[in-house]
Amino acid sequence: MATGGRGAVVAMAAGSTLSSASVTLFLLLVLPRVSQAQTFFFPFRQPETCGHNQYFDISALSCVACGSNQRQDARGTSCVCLPGFQMISNNGGPDITCKKCPEHMKGVTEDGWNCISCPGGLTAEGKCHCPTGHILVERNVNGTLLSQATCELCDESENSFTVANALGNRCVRCEPAFINTSKSCACSEPNILTGGLCLSSTGNFPLRMISTARYGELGISFTSEWFAKYLQSSAAACWVYGNLTSCQALGNMCVMNMNCYDSSTFDACGLFQFIFENTAALGTVHSVSFWRQNLPWLFYGDQLGLAPQILSTTPLPTNFSFKGENQQSTKLKFIAASYDVRGNFLKWQTLEGGILQLCPDTETRLNAAYSFGTTYQQSCEIPVPKILTDFPTPTFYDVYLEYTDENQHQYIWAVPVLNLNLQHKKMFVNKDSSSGKWLLTRRIFLVDTLSGRENDLGSQPRLIRVATQISLSIHLVPNTKNGNIYPPLITVAYRDIDIKDPSSQSVKVSFSVTYEMDQGEAHVQTDIALGVLGGLAVLSSLLKTAGWKRRIGSPMIDLQTVAKFLVYYAGDLANVFFIITVGTGLYWLIVFKAQKSVSVLLPVPAQEKRFVTYVGCGFALKALQFLHKLISQITIDIFFIDWERPKGKVLKAVEGEGGVRSATVPVSIWRTYFVANEWNEIQTVRKINPLFQVLTVLFLLEVVGFKNLALMDSSSSLSRSPPSYIAPYSRILRYAVSSALWLVIGLIQIVFFAVFYERFIEDKIRQFVDLCCMSNISVFLLSHRCFGYYIHGRSVHGHADTNMEEMNMNLKREAENLCSQRGLVPNTDGQTFQIAISSQMRQHYDRIHETLTRKNGPARLLSSSGSTFEQSVKAYHTMNKFLGSFIDHVHKEMDYFIKDKLLLERILGMEFMEPMEKSIFYNDEGYSFSSVLYYGNEATLLIYDLMFFCVVDLACQNFILAAFLTYLQQEIFRFIRDAVGQKNLASKTLVDQRFLI
């Protein structure tokens, strides 16, 4: 059937025509079918579970028996002949054939293909055995097999100096250390054999060495197997022979001990320092006094004050920029000379690709660390088993910065290292805040799993050491205009990990690149601005306090005056902090992002603390100012003067007398209720839409991408591609971007509101004034004891409580100028005034007002037999009559006059003339009575909302949360303002609160 199937396929390929049914039948017959009883599981076996006469079949994944006279090989995946058997054939793997050797030739050659007679005994594998110092010879020089193998003794005499190699099949020359020390291939006493080297017991080289690995973080020290095997030999080879590899290996062991040096002990660093101090005659490398010939460069010296000189004395002779086609000026090209743990030089390699970054990531994101001006942060958590697998031995790096001079010659600059784990005289000097005490080093590694092995280099380490924090710091030269920098500094912190349960242990590691510059000059300029503006704030607060004292009619300076001054000063100082912080933020945003040749760098998080403090103080003070204004607005005195007069009389039944009598027609209260309700509605009217403000700013930040301008990189783009690295945010730039957008959107709304909306759609403030006039209601409002506002709403038609026909006729007459103007002064349109009332007027007002607010008033004003409500109604009519007569100049002892404010009075916001005998009405065309409403305090509200938004964002780094909380607090305070304002309005005007919607 298989043959027929193949023929059918050939026929089809040749072009034969078969029906689809035939093809289907063919496939059903030819293709194998799966039996319903067939299974797809089998026993699981591992190579080590196979028996000695079995091998692990790598195809069938099971144990298979070897052939006759065979056994399992060392790997377990093939078979070999038993001792005493030679191979006849070998086709690879387990396919071999074995034959027993004859009795007179029981040995098997090393390659296993032949039998041979041995001069001595046999090994366990059935091979010939030779004594120590001898080599086994099985063939002639031309490859002919000998009938009997021989054991040849290597010539150790002075003529040859040879010994058997490790395999025992060749004589090789002895190590030079043996020959030079003992003039033989043996290291006999008093010479010392260590690490495969024969050392003389004479000389000044220290022999009492300490093979100790120190783990200062855990306070543990123990003998390292690696140090015990190779420390003494590496140090001796470096000292005696100047062996370059041994010197590098010794330096690596010093670095594994965290460069800790103690002159009283000869550990790895002590031996290195001994060799360094005693090889001065060899000279230096590249004229670097810290770099001795044959030795690696590990230290910069231990003199106090040396670190600041190295880090901030000599700038690099090259320039860097943010933008440009030349990548050499926009990229930091770090390269490293890498060495293995035995001191062998591996290669030069660039740090790009994540050489020093333990956290895995894409190559684009890893290489972003070396883009000049990009603050870089990377962190992750790595399981200990992965560390043990990926880093069986440490690799060491000497880092350099490659640059090109003006003549296009390439140079490298050594990058110093600040090892935070370094101990000098048992002190962690590199953790000191003073750089003068630092001891800089050169060589670093990422992971050391080798020195922590105690007894066996093949065993699991007792302790491992991991570079958990690596930070690269770039310092800009002060007053540079071309992007000059000082030598970069690598700061590394190692963590010692006690290996107990590797499968459950992990390590948090991080890598960062920061850019810094001296902020001293910026701080001085900020302090100067704060001092100057703070002084102006004091003067402004004094003027406001003086104006307030005049408005309350009190010449005495008391505790209340001091408190009021402090409140005013808090508001003005909040504006000072706001101006300084916004100005500072915009300066950093514009200058940093727009520069090509680098002259400034952003403040690092530690340098932002002063700025954040200023923002916090500004917000706290602005919140105090906002609460003060809110309390002031809800505690004003207000009264609606109804000018409407009764129209005739009506007959009215008299209770208890059974008769009727004539009475005046009552004036409707609905006009007063309506005006009061409109006043209540405009209390929280603003020049901006708060919801639109919050949503627009959030849209621009999150959707359009303006938040990307706050990233600590040199890019000014509003978008970032997903594969690219996203730098951390700068708090200063976040504040600058969000405040700029908030102010721009707010100002656009205010301009739109003033220029378009109020002119062509709706002006609620002017409409309220018109409503008062149409309702024949005036508003008498006192924001201070002797100062307030007056809205003249007296109808020019005499009546407002009329029918529709008469109302329309009155409006038509007014439109055609057939009646007098609305102003308080005849033939004028001035309806709004600032008023400064005399003390006598205020005292009379208070006497009536006490009764109006349901308190015990003077007996002459109230009926002792009436209810409280009736007394309040009488007080209301008394107040209405009193204020109406006051406006009509009835009370000569409490008269007033009208005048314009001086320009300086308007600028300073105070009145120079005191209302001694007469009150003063100041013409007010600017509707300044809105200062007791949200409408007239838009600047304060806008800045308060802005600072609230920014403070929340600085605290949580989340624009969405900041927007939500900002809108939430706006609504909460608006609700409080409306609720408390309604209650105050109802209590001051006798308007039922149920009518204030």
Side-chain angles (χ1 to χ4, degrees), residues 30 178 250 299 301 303 356 561 726 757 926 944:
V30 174
F178 286 75
L250 175 62
F299 299 93
Q303 298 90 346
L356 297 184
T561 305
I726 305 299
Y757 189 85
Y944 170 74

Side-chain angles (χ1 to χ4, degrees), residues 564-826:
K564 204 69 174 182
F565 167 77
L566 293 177
V567 171
Y568 284 135
Y569 184 59
D572 291 336
L573 193 58
N575 294 333
V576 170
F577 281 120
F578 175 73
I579 293 171
I580 290 177
T581 53
V582 172
T584 301
L586 292 178
Y587 166 80
W588 287 114
L589 176 64
I590 296 172
V591 175
F592 176 76
K593 292 289 185 177
Q595 63 185 342
K596 180 178 180 181
S597 296
V598 181
S599 59
V600 297
L601 292 175
L602 289 174
V604 297
Q607 296 171 330
E608 292 178 333
K609 291 183 178 179
R610 176 181 292 199
F611 179 86
V612 174
T613 302
Y614 286 170
V615 174
C617 291
F619 169 71
L621 296 174
K622 182 58 69 172
L624 180 61
Q625 181 191 24
F626 170 69
L627 292 176
H628 173 252
K629 286 185 175 292
L630 188 65
I631 295 173
S632 299
Q633 290 182 8
I634 61 180
T635 55
I636 61 172
D637 288 324
I638 185 171
F639 190 84
F640 298 105
I641 307 173
D642 190 353
W643 297 100
E644 196 74 13
R645 295 293 177 260
K647 294 181 178 180
K649 294 185 178 182
V650 294
L651 296 177
K652 182 179 180 182
V654 180
E655 295 183 4
E657 297 182 2
V660 296
R661 66 176 181 180
S662 62
T664 57
V665 178
V667 176
S668 173
I669 194 65
W670 284 106
R671 290 173 299 100
T672 302
Y673 281 1
F674 185 65
V675 172
N677 186 67
E678 288 300 313
W679 173 263
N680 180 65
E681 287 186 1
I682 67 172
Q683 286 190 95
T684 53
V685 169
R686 295 184 58 176
K687 298 179 181 179
I688 67 171
N689 186 316
L691 180 60
F692 176 81
Q693 176 81 14
V694 169
L695 293 179
T696 304
V697 171
L698 188 60
F699 174 80
L700 293 175
L701 288 171
E702 293 289 344
V703 180
V704 178
F706 275 92
K707 69 175 183 179
N708 291 322
L709 293 177
L711 296 175
M712 298 180 72
D713 58 22
S714 58
S715 175
S716 302
S717 174
L718 298 182
S719 61
R720 296 289 193 275
S721 60
S724 64
Y725 169 73
I726 305 299
Y729 287 99
S730 165
R731 288 184 291 183
I732 292 180
L733 295 189
R734 285 181 74 95
Y735 180 84
V737 172
S738 56
S739 61
L741 290 177
W742 194 280
L743 288 175
V744 169
I745 301 303
L747 291 176
I748 290 176
Q749 284 201 80
I750 292 173
V751 171
F752 172 81
F753 189 82
V755 174
F756 180 79
Y757 189 85
E758 286 188 332
R759 289 191 177 187
F760 301 105
I761 299 179
E762 183 181 30
D763 185 350
K764 291 188 176 182
I765 302 301
R766 287 174 174 80
Q767 286 178 354
F768 178 76
V769 176
D770 291 338
L771 176 64
C772 291
C773 188
M774 296 301 300
S775 302
N776 205 15
I777 301 290
S778 292
V779 181
F780 188 84
L781 189 154
L782 292 177
S783 59
H784 299 73
R785 182 178 180 275
C786 296
F787 181 85
Y789 305 92
Y790 173 68
I791 302 175
H792 186 62
R794 192 170 191 174
S795 176
V796 296
H797 309 289
H799 293 278
D801 193 2
T802 182
N803 56 37
M804 181 184 298
E805 182 180 359
E806 187 175 353
M807 177 67 72
N808 289 333
M809 182 63 66
N810 290 339
L811 292 176
K812 184 177 180 180
R813 291 178 58 202
E814 190 171 356
E816 296 175 354
N817 292 325
L818 299 178
C819 58
S820 61
Q821 293 176 293
R822 294 182 176 181
L824 176 61
V825 179

